Amino acid sequence: MTRFLSPFWSSRQRLANLLRYCSKNSLLDQGVQVHAASLKTGFGFDLMLSNDLIDMYAKCGVMGNASLVFDRMTERNVVSWTALMCGHLQNGNARATLSLFFQMVVSCLKPNEYTFSTNFKACGILNVLEIGVQIHCMSILSGFDSVPVVGNSIVDMYSKCGRINEAAAMFHALPVKNLISWNTMLAGYTIAGQGEKALLWFNRILENGQIPDEYTLTTMLKACSRLGKVREGSVIHGFLITSGFPCSGKAAIAGSLIDLYVKCGNLAAARTVFNQIGEKNVISWSALILGYAQGGNLAEAVELFMQLQNNSMGVDGFVLSSMMGVFADFALVEQGKQIHAYAVKVPSGLEISVSNSIVDMYLKCGLLDEAERLFNEMPTRNVVSWTVMITGYGKHGFGEEAIRLFNQMQLSNIEPDGVSYLATLSACSHSGLIKEGEEYFSQLCRNRWIKPGIEHYACMVDLLGRDGRLKEAKDLIESMPLKPNVGIWQTLLSACKVHGNLQLGKEVGKNLLTLDGENPVNYVMISNIYAEAGYWKECEQVRELAQAKGLRKEAGRSWVEVDKVVHFFYGGDNTHPMIEKIHELLKEMEQRMKEELGYTHEVKFALRDIDEESKVENLRVHSEKLAIGLALLHGGWDEPRVIRIFKNLRICGDCHDFIKCLSKVVKVVFVVRDANRFHQFKDGLCSCRDYW
């Protein structure tokens, strides 16, 4: 009997081997042919081949077909369920993975170690701690928590959900610890921002006789990079060299070394590492290009990018998106357009991440119409696509459009994530949509898959602060289930400044300095609230305290593009070759505003205990005014046009009033992007409705 069945089973095994080969190499067309062959030979409902088909379609990214095979199976085992769960996870749908897990549990089928491992990863990705804890309990009851692959996944899940202490406790409870276990904790400390502990953990890895692998070393270099610890990073670099580790042949390590030196401000060392790499790949190119760009050396970054374009390996989607991000941050629209023109000519330019970056670039450069056109033309959109556009509408003050798009996204069967909710709440805040913001926050709190983060609560504090409900905002901070951070207290302090609530502002200021006494921004905000209230003595005391600690606030700067050349200005700047003409024009405009509108400088925004005349002079040379003066000199003000100004900090109250009045007496529309949002000044009004 066995002899007669042998051809049957050998044919079945041959089909299985072919499917596994197609799966390994992502050969969809060939996999479909094997699927057809299995149906013709009577194996359409074979359990093993159906499982292989699910895996093949999932690895090829065709989850619709994978689900179809699964749904048509007359018999399923734990491998069937786990294969489909893995497929959803690999294709970015962690929610579907968890949903399948609970369906499997209801069907009374017991998970295996790979089922548990896959679902712990899904919990970490979605940051759903409660579900992770439930699955952890199931793994304990079934005894799988002691299996290394499951135990390591539990450690990873807790660290990804922000519970590093629970992750450490689970690590110590593991009966068997391998290098993956140690690496998981190392990555956990790095992700949690506890770089110092990551450094100590690396020493423990060595003390316990573990031999670091590529993942260990790249994670350590990332930790040093985040901490700005160039010396410790150099020690690891030395360890790599003395141990004979092939740095130049390991793309991830070479890229991490370049990133370390870049982040620590040592571009010369980064360039040396780059030059030593024999076979340079996109990771090493992009690390150095972004290093130069983020360090302000845009000319060198563009030059390197052009070299990469001419390189045989070509430019991938990551580099294109990263370059778009750089031009978006600096609002260099002409350079952004050039990269856009290049992107449409190369295959990687079709990637959805690149399309998202292009839309984001136009939004950050203030070209909302162009961004809308490109968004509407996108053949496919993911949650990032929608979120980028929602964020753009919010930053431009179109809160109702942002809400419409958020609802449209859900009607298009795209589930919002935490960032989508954050963008929508922020849009409500920027547009003063208090009621709508409260509704969406309540909706978020009821969401099974997403839990509100500190950023979501900060948006609510901003909303309540905008409405003058400062006590409610403070109560929300103190009652939320998360530990307040610096950002949320800064949000409340800003609201106290707007509404002139010095008493609460002093209380919030104390909390800020207790949390982070080394952040110069905190001292500036506290001194400003004293200055606006006329408490000059207290204002100077705070400033002297910051100076004694050697803290300096980031200098305010503005820039404007004129005839495809970007001009940068700092407050009080007198280095520009046309500075005298700029001052003359600004005084002329100021005089015209006084005569036509009764304009006067808001000297309270000078925030210095000096005479009125000196305050006026200080306000007159703010960087955004100088940039506007240059733009008006090149093109005039009697014809309708748009001038776009960009600033790295928030626009001050006096400059805001100045530009509002200026837009009333000239035919120019001014669009100003500050650190918080866009302001469109037209006919004496601003799109922010005077709250920013």
Side-chain angles (χ1 to χ4, degrees):
M1 183 69 180
T2 305
R3 185 158 49 86
F4 289 114
L5 288 174
S6 182
F8 176 85
W9 292 115
S10 63
S11 174
R12 174 176 179 263
Q13 189 59 52
R14 192 159 50 248
L15 289 168
N17 291 340
L18 285 168
L19 283 172
R20 289 164 194 174
Y21 179 81
C22 293
S23 176
K24 183 180 178 181
N25 296 284
S26 300
L27 303 173
L28 177 61
D29 292 341
Q30 293 88 332
V32 171
Q33 291 173 27
V34 178
H35 188 182
S38 69
L39 292 171
K40 286 180 183 178
T41 51
F43 292 112
F45 296 101
D46 182 83
L47 178 60
M48 181 182 76
L49 289 177
S50 293
N51 291 343
D52 287 333
L53 279 167
I54 292 170
D55 183 61
M56 184 275 294
Y57 281 122
K59 293 276 173 57
C60 293
V62 189
M63 285 309 299
N65 285 8
S67 298
L68 202 60
V69 171
F70 180 84
D71 292 338
R72 289 177 177 175
M73 290 174 73
T74 55
E75 177 191 2
R76 302 185 189 111
N77 59 11
V78 67
V79 177
S80 318
W81 287 89
T82 304
L84 193 59
M85 289 177 202
C86 285
H88 281 303
L89 191 66
Q90 289 161 1
N91 286 279
N93 194 347
R95 291 186 188 180
T97 298
L98 291 174
S99 180
L100 271 172
F101 176 81
F102 288 109
Q103 288 177 46
M104 187 185 83
V105 171
V106 170
S107 69
C108 298
L109 199 62
K110 292 182 178 179
N112 63 16
E113 62 265 41
Y114 301 108
T115 319
F116 279 119
S117 174
T118 299
N119 283 277
F120 282 127
K121 287 176 186 174
C123 291
I125 289 168
L126 292 172
N127 192 17
V128 284
L129 179 65
E130 291 175 12
I131 295 174
V133 171
Q134 290 175 29
I135 299 174
H136 186 183
C137 293
M138 291 183 199
S139 71
I140 293 171
L141 292 172
S142 59
F144 279 109
D145 64 315
S146 59
V147 177
V149 69
V150 178
N152 292 338
S153 297
I154 297 170
V155 173
D156 183 60
M157 181 273 293
Y158 279 118
S159 67
K160 294 269 177 64
C161 290
R163 297 300 181 93
I164 194 66
N165 293 334
E166 286 85 341
M170 185 62 205
F171 171 85
H172 292 301
L174 291 175
V176 178
K177 299 177 181 70
N178 54 22
L179 183 59
I180 295 172
S181 317
W182 289 92
N183 282 347
T184 303
M185 274 308 300
L186 185 67
Y189 282 124
T190 304
I191 292 166
Q194 298 183 23
E196 298 286 358
K197 285 191 176 180
L199 292 171
L200 293 172
W201 198 260
F202 179 68
N203 291 328
R204 287 191 62 188
I205 289 174
L206 299 177
E207 289 166 5
N208 279 270
Q210 298 286 338
I211 300 172
D213 63 3
E214 188 174 349
Y215 184 84
T216 319
L217 295 164
T218 52
T219 304
M220 268 314 303
L221 289 169
K222 284 177 186 174
C224 294
S225 177
R226 289 184 181 186
L227 285 169
K229 300 256 183 189
V230 68
R231 188 177 66 83
E232 288 81 353
S234 299
V235 169
I236 294 170
H237 191 181
F239 169 81
L240 289 165
I241 295 168
T242 55
S243 61
F245 208 92
C247 302
S248 59
K250 296 288 184 180
I253 287 183
S256 296
L257 277 170
I258 293 169
D259 184 64
L260 163 74
Y261 288 121
V262 161
K263 294 279 174 59
C264 294
N266 193 343
L267 280 168
R271 190 61 182 256
T272 300
V273 174
F274 177 80
N275 291 337
Q276 289 171 349
I277 301 171
E279 291 291 326
K280 297 178 177 67
N281 68 357
V282 173
I283 296 173
S284 50
W285 280 95
S286 59
L288 191 60
I289 288 170
L290 291 178
Y292 279 118
Q294 289 161 359
N297 194 340
L298 292 174
E300 191 66 35
V302 172
E303 174 63 28
L304 269 174
F305 179 75
M306 291 172 68
Q307 289 179 33
L308 178 57
Q309 282 180 259
N310 299 325
N311 194 289
S312 58
M313 77 178 66
V315 180
D316 71 354
F318 175 76
V319 177
L320 283 172
S321 298
S322 300
M323 287 301 293
M324 278 294 177
V326 169
F327 295 140
D329 290 340
F330 284 93
L332 303 175
V333 68
E334 289 302 323
Q335 291 85 341
K337 285 179 177 178
Q338 290 172 25
I339 301 293
H340 182 190
Y342 172 77
V344 299
K345 298 174 185 175
V346 295
S348 56
L350 298 172
E351 294 176 17
I352 194 166
S353 61
V354 176
S355 299
N356 293 340
S357 298
I358 293 170
V359 171
D360 185 54
M361 183 274 294
Y362 282 115
L363 285 167
K364 286 180 177 173
C365 289
L367 301 176
L368 185 59
D369 291 344
E370 187 68 15
E372 282 179 327
R373 182 183 67 79
L374 290 168
F375 175 79
N376 291 328
E377 289 175 358
M378 287 176 71
T380 56
R381 305 185 192 110
N382 59 14
V383 67
V384 177
S385 317
W386 291 90
T387 303
V388 163
M389 204 64 213
I390 291 167
T391 303
Y393 278 130
K395 294 282 186 185
H396 282 268
F398 296 107
E400 291 178 353
E401 278 298 302
I403 288 173
R404 179 191 64 77
L405 209 61
F406 182 79
N407 294 333
Q408 188 182 333
M409 175 178 72
Q410 294 177 87
L411 292 172
S412 301
N413 294 320
I414 301 288
E415 286 292 325
D417 59 12
V419 184
S420 310
Y421 272 104
L422 183 61
T424 307
L425 289 171
S426 180
C428 291
S429 178
H430 285 315
S431 297
L433 303 173
I434 312 295
K435 181 171 171 287
E436 292 85 347
E438 289 177 326
E439 287 174 2
Y440 282 111
F441 185 72
S442 297
Q443 187 183 117
L444 172 61
C445 291
R446 295 192 302 269
N447 193 299
R448 180 186 176 188
W449 301 104
I450 313 167
K451 295 299 175 189
I454 195 77
E455 299 87 358
H456 300 102
Y457 280 98
C459 273
M460 287 307 299
V461 169
D462 192 51
L463 267 170
L464 294 169
R466 171 185 287 275
D467 207 28
R469 294 149 65 182
L470 299 179
K471 185 179 182 305
E472 284 183 61
K474 181 172 178 287
D475 290 343
L476 179 64
I477 294 173
E478 292 174 342
S479 63
M480 67 184 185
L482 301 166
K483 185 179 178 181
N485 65 1
V486 170
I488 200 165
W489 286 119
Q490 286 178 342
T491 301
L492 181 57
L493 187 58
S494 292
C496 292
K497 179 172 173 281
V498 169
H499 293 286
N501 192 327
L502 180 62
Q503 184 177 351
L504 181 56
K506 287 161 71 174
E507 186 181 337
V508 173
K510 286 180 183 177
N511 290 338
L512 268 175
L513 295 185
T514 302
L515 268 177
D516 187 3
E518 301 302 317
N519 187 344
V521 173
N522 294 335
Y523 292 90
V524 172
M525 293 182 74
I526 295 165
S527 67
N528 286 353
I529 198 170
Y530 278 124
E532 285 211 11
Y535 284 70
W536 296 110
K537 181 182 176 183
E538 289 81 353
C539 170
E540 288 304 321
Q541 285 175 346
V542 173
R543 287 179 175 168
E544 286 169 7
L545 182 59
Q547 288 171 1
K549 289 191 169 194
L551 303 176
R552 294 188 65 184
K553 184 181 82 108
E554 180 186 6
R557 65 173 177 173
S558 300
W559 60 99
V560 62
E561 192 168 338
V562 176
D563 297 331
K564 298 187 179 181
V565 177
V566 179
H567 299 262
F568 287 90
F569 292 91
Y570 289 86
D573 199 343
N574 60 1
T575 59
H576 196 279
M578 298 187 70
I579 196 65
E580 293 300 326
K581 290 184 178 179
I582 291 171
H583 285 314
E584 287 175 16
L585 184 140
L586 289 174
K587 286 180 180 178
E588 179 188 333
M589 289 294 146
E590 194 180 301
Q591 185 60 37
R592 185 173 166 185
M593 284 153 49
K594 284 179 181 176
E595 291 171 359
E596 296 183 24
L597 304 172
Y599 167 79
T600 56
H601 281 284
E602 285 283 359
V603 292
K604 67 177 182 178
F605 293 113
L607 302 177
R608 286 285 179 185
D609 189 16
I610 51 180
D611 61 80
E612 298 289 302
E613 187 177 340
S614 298
K615 286 183 179 181
V616 168
E617 286 303 314
N618 281 344
L619 293 168
R620 190 173 277 146
V621 292
H622 279 193
S623 63
E624 50 266 67
K625 290 180 182 175
L626 298 177
I628 284 173
L630 179 67
L632 289 173
L633 282 172
H634 289 78
W637 51 86
D638 293 326
E639 296 296 326
R641 66 184 181 115
V642 177
I643 290 177
R644 291 182 172 85
I645 306 294
F646 304 90
K647 184 169 184 178
N648 64 329
L649 304 177
R650 279 190 179 189
I651 188 172
C652 84
D654 176 72
C655 289
H656 193 270
D657 288 347
F658 174 87
I659 304 170
K660 270 204 310 182
C661 290
L662 186 59
S663 71
K664 184 80 172 175
V665 299
V666 298
K667 294 182 179 179
V668 177
V669 174
F670 298 95
V671 176
V672 179
R673 189 192 85 184
D674 69 5
N676 199 39
R677 59 166 297 150
F678 275 89
H679 302 258
Q680 180 173 297
F681 299 91
K682 184 178 180 182
D683 296 328
L685 299 172
C686 179
S687 58
C688 77
R689 301 178 184 88
D690 297 340
Y691 191 102
W692 70 101

